[in-house]
Amino acid sequence: MDIKIVEVGPRDGLQNVSQFIPLDKKISFIKGLQKSGLTHLEVGAFVSPKWVPQMRDSLEICKQFNQYDNILALVPNQRGMDQYLEAQLKNVAFFTAASDTFNLKNTNKTFKDSLKVYEPLIQQAILDKSKIRMYISTAFYCPFDGKVSTKKVLEVVEDLLAFEIDEFSFGDTVGLATSNEVTDLINGLKKLMDISKINMHFHDTYGMALSNAAKSIELGVRSFDTSASGLGGCPYAPGASGNLATEDLVYFCENQGIQTGIDLDLLIEASQDIDNFLNRESSSKVKQAIINKG
Amino acid sequence: MDIKIVEVGPRDGLQNVSQFIPLDKKISFIKGLQKSGLTHLEVGAFVSPKWVPQMRDSLEICKQFNQYDNILALVPNQRGMDQYLEAQLKNVAFFTAASDTFNLKNTNKTFKDSLKVYEPLIQQAILDKSKIRMYISTAFYCPFDGKVSTKKVLEVVEDLLAFEIDEFSFGDTVGLATSNEVTDLINGLKKLMDISKINMHFHDTYGMALSNAAKSIELGVRSFDTSASGLGGCPYAPGASGNLATEDLVYFCENQGIQTGIDLDLLIEASQDIDNFLNRESSSKVKQAIINKG
C-alpha cells in the first residue's frame, strides 16, 4: 500500500455517540471494516465506563480481534493497562496534548506529570512486545488556549523521544488548522524523527481535513487516522463533523493512483449499518454522493 | 486582495433551488454579500424562464446593481444578450463545456456549433466594452461521458483563444476531480494563457473542492468561483453539495494570511437569511461550525 489508513471509527468515532451501540453491532461493524480491506483499526479504549459508557465493552471487543497484528486500543492509566494486557492485543495507544490547559482539563495533569504516569506503562508495553502509539492532541489549536505554536508541539515531542514510541499521531482536535500550519509542523517533526513515525489525525469540523491530509501526503506523510462515514465529533455541537471520513481519503487517494488497499463500496456498506442504527446522516461527502447517485 | 473570489450564489447557487425566492429577498441577499466585502458577484442569468424559473427576475436584479463594476450575468443566446445590454452591466458570461455530450444535452449544439452562436454575441460585448467570461464546464469529468482528458479541454481552450475573452472559468461540474488532475490542467493552461485569465470553479459533491482550490492557489491561480453557504447542487440528488462554499475558502485563506477582503461574520449573516428562508442546512462546514459554536 502507498498509504496506511488507521480506522479510528470504532473508538474515536463511537465514543462520541451518546446512544449505546450493542456489542454484536460493534463487532459486526469492525468485521465489515476489515472486509473492506482495512487492517489497522482502533477498536476500544480502556477508560472508565463512568466517563465513556460507550467503551464499556472494550475488553470483550479487543479479545475478539487479538489474533490480528494491527488492532489498537487506548490506555489512560495502570487499570487500563491491566485490561489491555488481558486482552492480548499487539498495539497500545497513550494520549497527551500539546496544550497544558487541555491536559489539565482532560486528565487533571500537566504534560510533564502525565509522563510520570506513562513511564511505567510504556515499560510494560515494551516487555509485552507491543507497538506503542502516542496521540498528541491539540497539535495546532486548543479549545481553551487558542493557537498552539509549532515550537510548543516540538518541545512536547522532544520530551517524548526519551521513550521507545513507534508512532506519533498528531491531532488537529479543533479542526482549525490549514495548509501552512500543517507544513510548519511536519517540517519541524521531520528534523526530530523518521517520517515513518508520523501519523496525522485531522478533524473536519471546519472542512479543512482533506486539504490538510493532501498537504501532508505531499510532504511525505504516509499514515493517517480516519473514521468511517466521518463518525465522531463533538456531542455538544450538533452537526459538527468528526474525524476526516475514511471514504473521503480513500476516494482522494485511489482517484489519483495512491493505493490504500480499501474497497470503497464495501467500506460504505460497513458504515451504513451503523449510520442506519444511529439514524445518522453521514458526514462523508463521498459516501453521501455515492448513495445519492444510487 | 491576494485572491479574487467571484460569488456565484445568487446565480449558480439559486438557480438550482426549486422554491421561488422573491425579488426583494434576492436583492437583500446580494446587498448583504456586498456588505461582507464581496465585490465580484454573478447575480443573474438571461435564460428562458420556462427552463429556469428562479432566474425570471434577472433583468430587474441586474438593473439594481449596474452601477458596480464587477457584477456578472450569464447569457446563452441573442435574446439573453439583448436583455443583458438593456440591464447595462459591465460583465457578461457565456458558457460551453469540454464534453460534447454535455453540450448536446444542455444546448442541443456541439462545441463547434456553439462557437457560431457566441461569435456575434462576443462582438456585441466587445462593442459594449463589457468584460467577457467564458465558463468551461465538465473540465475534468462529464456526467455522461466520464473522464474528460486535459488534452480535450486544452483543445477547446485553443479554439476559444481566437476570441477576446478576459477570463475562463473551468468547472469541475461533477465534483470528482482530485489534485493531480487539477495540476495537469492548470499546468497545461499556463502554456496557453496568462494565469490571470484562469478562474477555477469547483463543486464540492465529493468533498474535494477545498483541496482542489488549495492546490490551484499553490499553482498560482488567484481567482475562484464560490457560493455563499455552499448554495447550489443537483436538484435530483438531495444532500449533494453545490459549489465550494465561500465561507470555507475565505476561512482557509484568511487563516494563513491570504487576503480575501471578506468579513466572515457578515458573510454568514448574509447567507443565513437565505438558508432560513429555504429552511436549508448550510453545506459550508465553516459556517456550520461557527453557528454551532454560537
Side-chain angles (χ1 to χ4, degrees), chain A:
Chain A
M1 292 315 113
D2 299 323
I3 75 161
K4 176 174 103 184
I5 294 186
V6 181
E7 169 62 46
V8 298
R11 198 280 297 174
D12 199 15
L14 294 189
Q15 79 171 23
N16 286 305
V17 171
S18 53
Q19 185 185 346
F20 187 73
I21 296 158
L23 179 63
D24 60 344
K25 195 122 234 88
K26 284 179 188 148
I27 287 175
S28 68
F29 176 42
I30 297 164
K31 286 185 175 169
L33 294 168
Q34 288 184 313
K35 204 175 143 197
S36 79
L38 283 158
T39 50
H40 294 71
L41 297 103
E42 189 179 48
V43 302
F46 296 113
V47 291
S48 162
K50 252 192 295 180
W51 293 104
V52 193
Q54 187 71 266
M55 294 290 113
R56 69 182 187 230
D57 48 16
S58 281
L59 186 58
E60 291 95 314
I61 293 172
C62 289
K63 281 183 174 173
Q64 288 263 349
F65 293 94
N66 65 10
Q67 75 269 39
Y68 299 103
D69 281 343
N70 298 303
I71 303 293
L72 185 70
L74 190 75
V75 164
N77 51 31
Q78 185 62 55
R79 192 191 170 94
M81 192 66 196
D82 294 341
Q83 289 186 288
Y84 169 81
L85 292 170
E86 186 187 338
Q88 298 190 292
L89 290 187
K90 300 173 182 71
N91 303 269
V92 62
F94 304 114
F95 65 93
T96 186
S99 143
D100 269 330
T101 312
F102 196 83
N103 275 321
L104 284 166
K105 295 238 182 193
N106 271 275
T107 62
N108 219 16
K109 288 183 188 62
T110 63
F111 167 66
K112 298 273 185 193
D113 285 340
S114 74
L115 288 188
K116 290 176 202 148
V117 175
Y118 286 132
E119 194 163 0
L121 304 185
I122 289 172
Q123 291 315 317
Q124 291 165 59
I126 291 169
L127 282 174
D128 186 56
K129 299 193 166 66
S130 282
K131 280 197 184 164
I132 299 167
R133 155 182 275 221
M134 182 64 79
Y135 283 107
I136 300 181
S137 291
T138 64
F140 300 95
Y141 288 87
C142 167
F144 312 107
D145 295 344
K147 178 72 190 151
V148 177
S149 70
T150 297
K151 185 169 168 283
K152 174 81 184 156
V153 182
L154 296 179
E155 281 167 13
V156 162
V157 170
E158 281 184 309
D159 282 341
L160 287 167
L161 289 176
F163 303 97
E164 292 176 51
I165 292 166
D166 297 287
E167 184 174 63
F168 293 87
S169 172
F170 296 92
D172 180 16
T173 311
V174 199
L176 282 165
T178 53
S179 305
N180 285 0
E181 296 165 313
V182 171
T183 304
D184 276 356
L185 179 59
I186 292 174
N187 284 340
L189 290 170
K190 280 173 166 178
K191 290 176 193 152
L192 297 181
M193 62 176 81
D194 190 84
I195 198 152
S196 65
K197 288 194 170 191
I198 304 174
N199 168 286
M200 300 304 293
H201 180 114
F202 292 115
H203 281 248
D204 201 34
T205 315
Y206 287 74
M208 302 292 128
L210 186 75
S211 83
N212 287 336
K215 174 54 72 183
S216 308
I217 292 172
E218 256 182 60
L219 295 166
V221 173
R222 293 291 177 266
S223 179
F224 295 90
D225 292 348
T226 61
S227 93
S229 194
L231 279 164
C234 273
Y236 53 84
S241 297
N243 294 89
L244 173 56
T246 312
E247 289 86 342
D248 294 7
L249 185 58
V250 168
Y251 174 79
F252 174 83
C253 289
E254 295 286 340
N255 190 50
Q256 41 200 338
I258 301 168
Q259 291 189 3
T260 63
I262 297 158
D263 181 303
L264 196 51
D265 292 330
L266 290 176
L267 174 60
I268 287 171
E269 206 177 297
S271 64
Q272 191 53 29
D273 196 37
I274 286 286
D275 283 346
N276 284 343
F277 181 79
L278 296 172
N279 195 20
R280 167 187 186 272
E281 200 190 341
S282 177
S283 55
S284 159
K285 291 219 167 181
V286 165
K287 180 172 174 179
Q288 277 183 34
I290 289 175
I291 286 179
N292 286 331
K293 219 174 54 179

Side-chain angles (χ1 to χ4, degrees), chain A residues 206 208 285, chain B residues 5-9 202-204 209-210 213 224-232 241-252 264 267 271 280 282-288:
Chain A
Y206 287 74
M208 302 292 128
K285 291 219 167 181
Chain B
I5 294 186
V6 182
E7 169 62 46
V8 297
F202 293 114
H203 281 249
D204 201 35
L210 186 75
F224 294 90
D225 291 349
T226 60
S227 92
S229 196
L231 279 163
S241 298
N243 294 90
L244 172 57
T246 311
E247 290 87 343
D248 294 7
L249 185 59
V250 168
Y251 174 80
F252 174 83
L264 196 50
L267 175 59
S271 65
R280 167 187 186 273
S282 177
S283 56
S284 159
K285 290 217 167 182
V286 165
K287 181 172 174 179
Q288 276 183 35

